[in-house]
Amino acid sequence: ERARVKGDWLVPLPQGMSPHDAMAVGTAGYTAMLCVIALERHGIVPERGPVVVTGAAGGVGSVAVSILSSLGYHIVASTGRSAESSYLTDLGASEVISRDELAQPAKPLAKERWAGGVDAVGSHTLANVLSMTSYGGAVAACGLAGGMDLPTSVAPFILRGVCLLGIDSVMAPKTVRMEAWRRIGTDLDLQKLANLSTTIGFDGIIDAAHDIVEGKVRGRVVVDM
């Protein structure tokens, strides 16, 4: 349970958060916070309108829904697992939609449905999210669960002024990482974090990995070494 690493890699544990909490947040939750900060900096505040979260039952999505809910956003949660609807509403989602609504090839522009979004899926899903983002809105993109391609057009960017905000969690400067973890400490409800995470033993890793690949895991999994 100890590691020797470069000091520059390390960020202090936020006050009031246990090491277990920090691992429940993990890279996924930290990335979700980076997305929220990027949207805020672009002026996507709750008053601007709804925010969509794709892959909402996954690691990034679950934490994003929880944080955005704590900050007062109206959240449209997109998931391929209808059975997780109550889980997502418990985390703070205002609406739950099927990922099928966003999985087909996108029109250049579609009806405006949200002011911003957090996307961990990519491909057709991100293309649809962009086409449905309202004038002057922004989408934070951080994942590729649905593919690395982006089959979209320039229409959302040049006709609605939509911005695509790229989120990188690996090479972010230390000041950015420090701010993200500080915000996690203040804006993430620890009870919701407990509800979206499960703990397994070291001997459960292989089974959990299969479940993740098959899309059977929701939220976060913490390994007790």
Side-chain angles (χ1 to χ4, degrees), residues 73-92:
Y73 286 83
H74 179 102
I75 304 157
V76 180
S78 168
T79 181
R81 293 175 273 173
S82 58
E84 302 293 7
S85 293
S86 59
Y87 161 75
L88 291 169
T89 53
D90 287 344
L91 291 182

Side-chain angles (χ1 to χ4, degrees), residues 13-14 17-27 181 193 220 222:
L13 190 67
M17 183 175 284
S18 70
H20 185 281
D21 292 334
M23 289 299 96
V25 173
T27 302
W181 279 100
L193 180 63
R220 303 285 295 139
V222 180

Side-chain angles (χ1 to χ4, degrees), residues 21-95:
D21 292 334
M23 289 299 96
V25 173
T27 302
Y30 153 66
T31 303
M33 189 73 247
L34 291 176
C35 290
V36 173
I37 292 172
L39 291 175
E40 290 176 339
R41 286 178 176 163
H42 197 77
I44 309 301
V45 293
E47 293 73 26
R48 286 284 299 273
V51 171
V52 66
V53 177
T54 66
V60 173
S62 294
V63 178
V65 169
S66 300
I67 293 172
L68 289 165
S69 170
S70 297
L71 295 172
Y73 286 83
H74 179 102
I75 304 157
V76 180
S78 168
T79 181
R81 293 175 273 173
S82 58
E84 302 293 7
S85 293
S86 59
Y87 161 75
L88 291 169
T89 53
D90 287 344
L91 291 182
S94 310
E95 305 174 49

Side-chain angles (χ1 to χ4, degrees), residues 150-163:
L150 181 54
T152 187
S153 75
V154 298
F157 310 115
I158 66 173
L159 296 179
R160 286 187 182 158
V162 171
C163 285

Side-chain angles (χ1 to χ4, degrees), residues 96-196:
V96 179
I97 64 173
S98 170
R99 72 176 170 207
D100 292 342
E101 292 188 35
L102 305 175
Q104 302 306 313
K107 297 177 181 178
L109 286 177
K111 181 181 178 181
E112 297 176 60
R113 297 179 64 176
W114 33 70
V118 174
D119 176 67
V121 179
S123 194
H124 292 296
T125 295
L126 177 54
N128 276 291
V129 168
L130 289 167
S131 75
M132 298 175 186
T133 300
S134 58
Y135 189 89
V139 178
C142 66
L144 44 71
M148 288 188 69
D149 60 321
L150 181 54
T152 187
S153 75
V154 298
F157 310 115
I158 66 173
L159 296 179
R160 286 187 182 158
V162 171
C163 285
L164 179 58
L165 312 175
I167 305 300
D168 165 60
S169 61
V170 179
M171 301 302 292
K174 189 166 186 176
T175 53
V176 174
R177 288 183 280 134
M178 294 278 287
E179 174 62 11
W181 279 100
R182 184 193 70 78
R183 288 286 304 275
I184 288 168
T186 60
D187 297 340
L188 178 58
D189 185 322
L190 292 182
Q191 184 56 57
K192 287 184 179 179
L193 180 63
N195 293 341
L196 65 84

